[in-house]
Structure formats: structure tokens, C-alpha cells
Amino acid sequence: MDKVKKGSMKKVSSFIGLCLLSIVLAFTTFSSTPGAEGKKTKELHIEQLFDGRDGTMVLKNLKNDQMYVYNRERSEERFTPESTFKVPNSLIGLETGAVRDEYEVKRWDGVIREFESWNRDHSLASAIRESAIWFYQDMARDIGVTNMEKFVNQIGYGNRDISGGIDEFWLDSTLEISAIEQVDFIESFVEEDLPFTEKNQK
């Protein structure tokens, strides 16, 4: 399992980097093209920001449903969610009682891992802040296959395939989701429209 950590952290860095790109969008150009479901989608022209790397960016204005997309084809291609799955994993953990709240602590197993910040006890709050994979793997085992499969299906998360192992299906394994689907999921989360209690979504 530890073999995925370096790759996962690189993908977290890439994900954070893409989020930071939104800061400079005011200085980019875009054009209108027909989008999915008959809506207009603004095509972002920010190739220079990706410096030759194959990537995508999807932004959505929830006030007017306007979508902004760079590399539409890539945005619809599914990839393993890696650390972005911490969001649904946290929600499922709270809903099933695998953790009581963001303050409940899981004890470190004593295994020395690549990042010093991982090598200690963690709560849900600190684990998501430090991207401590072991915490989420342990919580997924506590959630169990039946509950995990139930909620992944209920929220319609990507291809819904958790067959890659209860503690690694989201880590370069069987679960895959596109950037467009991630935006839809986050929109439902922001609007508290997921099949979880209001308390847990807040």
C-alpha cells in the first residue's frame, strides 16, 4: 500500500496547483461553445499555464450554472480520484459511525511512513489537512465493503467500482471519476444535496 503514497502526494500537489490556477483566470480568454445538456460552456484558453502538460480545469458558477472548461475531452475522461476521495470517504465515515466526528482520534500503528506528519495519531480533521492516507485506509476498513459500496452507489461517484480492495480502491486502482463528475459531486455537496445527514454535510 505504501507504494502509492508518493504518487498520491504528487497528485495532491497537482490538484492544489490546478486550484491555484483559478487566481489567474481573470487574465485569460475564453469562447462559448455548446455544452452538455444544451447549456453554454465557456472554453478556457489557458494552455500556457499547463506548460505542455496534459491536464484539464473545470470551474462552475453555481449562481448561473455557467461552466468554464479547459481541455473538454480530458475533463470527461475518468481517472482514479486519489486524495480527492477523502471528501466522500469522510462523509461516509461520519454517516456510518466509523468516526464520531472530526475530533475522534485514530492511533498511529507505529509504521514509519514517507512523510513525518503522518507518523503520529490523527483525527479526521488533521488527517484531511495532512493527507494522511493510513487514516483513510483504516477508516475505510471500519466502514466496510457493504456500506462503502452502498454510499458510493447512492452518490453516483464515477464508475462506482470499489472492487480494488476496501483500503485502496481509490488509490491508482479500480475507482475512476472524471473532472466533470467531480464538479457535479462537489456542487451537490455544497448544496447539501447528498444522501447524508445535514449535520455530516456541514
Side-chain angles (χ1 to χ4, degrees):
M1 294 177 211
D2 287 348
K3 63 183 174 61
V4 303
K5 291 168 186 169
K6 185 174 289 185
S8 182
M9 288 304 292
K10 286 179 180 176
K11 290 178 182 180
V12 172
S13 297
S14 298
F15 176 72
I16 293 170
L18 286 177
C19 291
L20 292 175
L21 287 177
S22 62
I23 296 171
V24 299
L25 285 179
F27 304 101
T28 66
T29 59
F30 52 80
S31 59
S32 296
T33 57
E37 299 155 359
K39 296 178 181 177
K40 288 287 186 178
T41 297
K42 301 289 187 180
E43 182 182 349
L44 295 170
H45 299 288
I46 54 173
E47 295 83 356
Q48 71 280 7
L49 298 178
F50 283 81
D51 194 25
R53 295 179 178 87
D54 191 15
T56 187
M57 174 177 279
V58 181
L59 301 174
K60 188 171 184 181
N61 185 331
L62 299 186
K63 292 183 179 178
N64 61 15
D65 271 351
Q66 181 67 65
M67 190 91 77
Y68 303 86
V69 180
Y70 166 69
N71 196 344
R72 179 79 193 204
E73 183 177 354
R74 176 87 171 188
S75 74
E76 296 174 344
E77 188 176 352
R78 284 173 168 171
F79 298 92
T80 49
E82 305 291 334
S83 283
T84 62
F85 189 70
K86 286 184 174 69
V87 177
N89 203 353
S90 297
L91 286 165
I92 296 168
L94 288 166
E95 196 74 14
T96 59
V99 287
R100 287 190 304 273
D101 53 35
E102 66 269 38
Y103 305 111
E104 182 178 354
V105 171
K106 284 186 176 293
R107 299 301 176 188
W108 175 44
D109 59 9
V111 175
I112 301 297
R113 295 178 171 85
E114 181 178 0
F115 300 97
E116 183 59 34
S117 63
W118 293 4
N119 300 324
R120 60 180 177 83
D121 297 346
H122 274 288
S123 65
L124 181 61
S126 66
I128 199 166
R129 183 174 62 248
E130 301 294 343
S131 194
I133 292 176
W134 71 260
F135 180 98
Y136 280 90
Q137 290 179 308
D138 189 62
M139 186 170 67
R141 289 189 289 269
D142 289 341
I143 291 168
V145 173
T146 300
N147 280 326
M148 186 68 80
E149 189 169 52
K150 169 188 169 184
F151 282 105
V152 167
N153 280 322
Q154 282 187 3
I155 64 179
Y157 195 85
N159 67 358
R160 312 180 189 193
D161 185 355
I162 71 165
S163 65
I166 187 59
D167 56 5
E168 56 184 49
F169 63 84
W170 69 93
L171 298 168
D172 198 22
S173 187
T174 54
L175 185 65
E176 294 184 339
I177 190 169
S178 70
I180 291 287
E181 290 171 323
Q182 288 271 36
V183 167
D184 288 342
F185 167 73
I186 293 298
E187 179 178 357
S188 295
F189 183 29
V190 168
E191 294 180 347
E192 297 179 9
D193 195 29
L194 291 171
F196 303 103
T197 63
E198 180 181 354
K199 174 179 179 289
N200 288 334
Q201 289 182 85
K202 286 187 180 300

